[in-house]
Amino acid sequence: MLELFAKHSQIQYMGKPYKDKILGTEIYRLIRQDSMDYESSIIKRHISESIQNKKLDEGKPVILLSDEVLVSYSKVLDKGAVARRIKEVFNPRILFTIRNQFDILKSAYLARGRLLLN
């Protein structure tokens, strides 16, 4: 998908692999940080600074962040909380996920199914 998004004429691609370490760190905090420690204003500021510090191409009006970990069944403990955080931090116009079902089966097997062999 990186190839597709990065080469699209109207998309400024910001997703994995993260070229900006701060952005990657803040995305991880957004999905993993406990609610008692979570500060949306800090994460929002860091992400905004990270995006502003990039030399964005004016001809690419859509900024796209694509990362499966945002909805990962193994990394995200409270998907509802993460959805609210994404809305609060990014205020996305459209957020959608598409995954080829055959690819997800392969990925699930590699992540968990092979453990059954032991």
Side-chain angles (χ1 to χ4, degrees):
M1 287 306 231
L2 169 63
E3 299 285 329
L4 174 69
F5 295 144
K7 291 181 180 180
H8 193 283
S9 64
Q10 294 186 348
I11 294 176
Q12 184 74 44
Y13 184 66
M14 306 288 287
K16 280 184 151 180
Y18 292 107
K19 293 177 184 160
D20 184 317
K21 188 175 180 178
I22 293 172
L23 182 60
T25 299
E26 295 306 322
I27 294 299
Y28 182 81
R29 287 178 55 203
L30 183 133
I31 64 164
R32 297 290 291 176
Q33 199 164 41
D34 184 89
S35 294
M36 296 295 289
D37 300 320
Y38 178 77
E39 287 284 339
S40 65
S41 59
I42 293 171
I43 291 176
K44 190 172 187 172
R45 187 181 78 236
H46 286 159
I47 289 173
S48 292
E49 288 171 0
S50 177
I51 290 171
Q52 288 172 1
N53 288 337
K54 287 194 165 291
K55 296 188 189 258
L56 297 180
D57 186 339
E58 296 296 324
K60 296 184 176 188
V62 176
I63 297 174
L64 175 67
L65 175 66
S66 175
D67 190 339
E68 287 181 5
V69 79
L70 295 171
V71 292
S72 169
Y73 59 89
S74 63
K75 302 252 187 306
V76 177
L77 301 176
D78 187 341
K79 290 172 188 60
V82 171
R84 285 187 294 279
R85 291 174 182 184
I86 290 170
K87 183 178 186 238
E88 183 178 15
V89 170
F90 292 104
N91 194 24
R93 292 188 187 165
I94 299 173
L95 173 67
F96 64 93
T97 60
I98 298 175
R99 176 91 187 253
N100 180 309
Q101 296 305 296
F102 292 113
D103 288 345
I104 199 165
L105 287 172
K106 288 182 212 173
S107 178
Y109 173 76
L110 292 172
R112 294 205 167 61
R114 65 190 164 132
L115 298 175
L116 298 174
L117 296 175
N118 295 334

